[in-house]
Amino acid sequence: MDYKVLPMFPEGFLWGASTSAYQVEGGWDADGKGPSVQDLRTHFPEGTTDYKVAADHYHRYAEDVALMGEIGLKAYRFSIAWTRIIPDGDGAVNPEGVAFYHRLIDALREQGIEPIVTMYHFDLPATLSARGGWANPETVDAFVKFAEVLFNEYGSKVTYWLTINEQNMMIMHGKMLGTTTLSGDEAQRDLFQQNHGMFLAQARVMARCHELVPGGKIGPAPNIAYVYPQSCRPEDQVAADDWNAIRNWLYTDLAVHGRYNSLAWAYLVERGWAPTIAEGDMEILAAAKPDFLAFNYYASQTVAAPSGDASDLRQRGADQQMIRGEIGLYKAVDNPDLPKNAFGWEIDPVGFRTTFRALWDRYQLPLLVTENGLGAYDEPAEDGMVHDDYRIDYLQRHIEQIRLALADGVDVLGYCPWSAIDLISTHQGMKKRYGFIYVNRDEFDLRDLGRSRKKSSYWYQRLIESRGASLDA
Ligand code: BGP
């Protein structure tokens, strides 16, 4: 639908930017921090940098927050490293770790920036992983204990809480992200049992947040990629429905309604991967209610009916690291109507609006975008600045779609693109940058780790100052 006049962004809209602890902080063993599965990740990214220094935000957070203040961010979405707070996952609390996030949150508040806290972003404590990860009920209990520490420490300063970042990616790419060490069928069974554990942990933590944080708001943060059928062939539509259910709605239906999506459950039973559900689990899941839905959106996906053989599979990305498609479920195809970025990811701003509409239609909960952005090979020009017009173009075209979603009647709380500052990419190391702020280091040479604003940060600043009106300029 076209509109003659588009609405302004609402007063109080959370114009923000995002990061995650293991990708930005560094200081991986500083001041008593314990190892997480990310710190121990050696097999991937192959030959690229580790996360030990990252962007050194742990030591330079004050400078970083000052720059965020200059840009005029209204919100900053970051994650708290579980292993800084409780180094072995469920033992003693580390006061120095607790103090770091007090300093960070206080610095944000001084700049008038709303902190949005992710409680868990891929960095499960290594000790808990070694004991079976989320398939072990002790991990679920440990997460609740960790959450209670966070709510008690920071609850008076933090309103917005995110439970788990991209639980669906930790299941779909379980080996790469350190969720499982098993292979084949065994890995799948393990992953869906871990998935169930994460759902329980999330539900219990949502309930605790409402008990411990007056006025606190909490929600999940899955990665949502709306799935299109390749054609109007009815079989392609069935494949798209299946993949939408298994990739997307499984996670959101559980978080909001506390029940397994029926198509996703049918798939788990068919494959022999359905998790064991203990007595009382479904009641715990049904009792928890999120206040909003956060989601990360990078692009849509397009699928066709499966052929039932290896031709259903497709390697994705410039370095072909990820496999999409599943034999007998859906065939992954390129969308011929979409361009790709330098790393082979499709770019689909209109799919962003479609994703908003689908989520709103299903749940009628306020929506918060916690990631969206363009990974690129940024290089400073002779004048020292990164002239990232390609990123401005990407962000502008996505933000225009938010405005259309607002016109469609969707309640949008805010937009936190990835990323506030350059950090280590999950898949491609340091060479793939997303930040508004440039960090002077490369894959192996730490240089001086100096900070400087990219052109996109000035563009974003104008946009925030004008509450989005500069889109029309
Ligand atoms: C999301 C993760 C982020 C971030 C982002 C970009 O899946 O939540 O942690 O890494 O994707 O991905 P990448 O760094 O691989 O380009």
Side-chain angles (χ1 to χ4, degrees), residues 163-290:
T163 52
I164 300 180
N165 177 71
E166 295 194 352
Q167 181 175 328
N168 49 348
M169 293 302 108
M170 285 190 277
I171 301 306
M172 285 165 55
H173 306 293
K175 203 126 194 205
M176 188 196 86
L177 291 173
T179 322
T180 191
T181 49
L182 303 170
S183 301
D185 227 40
E186 238 191 333
Q188 291 304 106
R189 249 195 310 279
D190 176 45
L191 283 168
F192 284 106
Q193 195 62 51
Q194 300 217 38
N195 200 33
H196 187 68
M198 280 192 248
F199 284 136
L200 286 170
Q202 168 166 277
R204 287 177 56 191
V205 157
M206 289 199 289
R208 286 306 273 151
C209 179
H210 292 137
E211 285 157 10
L212 293 176
V213 183
K217 294 180 191 303
I218 189 160
N223 175 304
I224 304 295
Y226 193 80
V227 182
Y228 303 134
Q230 184 188 35
S231 74
C232 52
R233 258 176 82 209
E235 291 80 2
D236 287 349
Q237 181 64 50
V238 171
D241 288 346
D242 284 345
W243 190 231
N244 259 320
I246 295 163
R247 186 202 188 286
N248 298 318
W249 315 143
L250 164 60
Y251 299 88
T252 44
D253 282 3
L254 246 152
V256 180
H257 301 309
R259 57 171 156 68
Y260 274 88
N261 174 283
S262 60
L263 277 179
W265 186 258
Y267 158 82
L268 292 175
V269 171
E270 165 65 21
R271 293 280 198 261
W273 301 335
T276 304
I277 296 181
E279 212 187 311
D281 284 2
M282 295 317 292
E283 286 71 26
I284 293 173
L285 295 174
K289 299 284 169 228

Side-chain angles (χ1 to χ4, degrees), residues 19-23 41 44 51 77 121-122 165-166 168-169 173 176-177 221-223 296 298 316 321-322 341 343 345 370-376 418-419 423-429 432-434:
T19 63
S20 87
Y22 78 92
Q23 293 173 277
R41 208 168 94 179
F44 201 87
Y51 299 108
R77 179 253 181 169
H121 192 125
F122 299 167
N165 177 71
E166 295 194 352
N168 49 348
M169 293 302 108
H173 306 293
M176 188 196 86
L177 291 173
N223 175 304
N296 300 345
Y298 286 90
R316 171 207 177 201
Q321 286 163 338
M322 294 175 93
N341 73 16
F343 292 85
W345 294 26
T370 38
E371 286 182 35
N372 170 243
L374 182 74
W418 188 262
S419 52
L423 38 70
I424 314 281
S425 141
T426 300
H427 300 102
Q428 279 107 355
K432 185 188 202 183
R433 295 171 186 263
Y434 285 87

Side-chain angles (χ1 to χ4, degrees), residues 61-229:
Y61 75 91
E63 185 186 350
D64 295 343
V65 172
L67 285 168
M68 291 179 209
E70 240 183 76
I71 298 171
L73 294 189
K74 304 285 183 209
Y76 173 50
R77 179 253 181 169
F78 61 97
S79 77
I80 290 188
W82 186 343
T83 52
R84 253 188 228 296
I85 304 292
I86 303 178
D88 68 358
D90 71 351
V93 171
N94 172 27
E96 288 182 87
V98 170
F100 169 68
Y101 294 106
H102 273 299
R103 291 198 296 276
L104 174 61
I105 293 166
D106 292 346
L108 290 166
R109 285 274 176 223
E110 270 165 38
Q111 294 282 348
I113 300 174
E114 184 77 40
I116 301 177
V117 171
T118 314
M119 303 168 67
Y120 167 48
H121 192 125
F122 299 167
D123 52 355
L124 186 67
T127 345
L128 297 179
S129 165
R131 299 209 297 258
W134 294 100
N136 182 346
E138 284 172 20
T139 300
V140 177
D141 292 341
F143 188 63
V144 177
K145 179 173 144 190
F146 163 59
E148 286 168 349
V149 175
L150 301 190
F151 296 147
N152 288 327
E153 284 291 339
Y154 312 120
S156 60
K157 306 175 179 181
V158 174
T159 302
Y160 293 96
W161 299 86
L162 306 166
T163 52
I164 300 180
N165 177 71
E166 295 194 352
Q167 181 175 328
N168 49 348
M169 293 302 108
M170 285 190 277
I171 301 306
M172 285 165 55
H173 306 293
K175 203 126 194 205
M176 188 196 86
L177 291 173
T179 322
T180 191
T181 49
L182 303 170
S183 301
D185 227 40
E186 238 191 333
Q188 291 304 106
R189 249 195 310 279
D190 176 45
L191 283 168
F192 284 106
Q193 195 62 51
Q194 300 217 38
N195 200 33
H196 187 68
M198 280 192 248
F199 284 136
L200 286 170
Q202 168 166 277
R204 287 177 56 191
V205 157
M206 289 199 289
R208 286 306 273 151
C209 179
H210 292 137
E211 285 157 10
L212 293 176
V213 183
K217 294 180 191 303
I218 189 160
N223 175 304
I224 304 295
Y226 193 80
V227 182
Y228 303 134

Side-chain angles (χ1 to χ4, degrees), residues 405-426:
L406 288 167
D408 291 332
V410 180
D411 183 356
V412 188
L413 280 177
Y415 177 66
C416 300
W418 188 262
S419 52
I421 180 167
D422 284 345
L423 38 70
I424 314 281
S425 141
T426 300

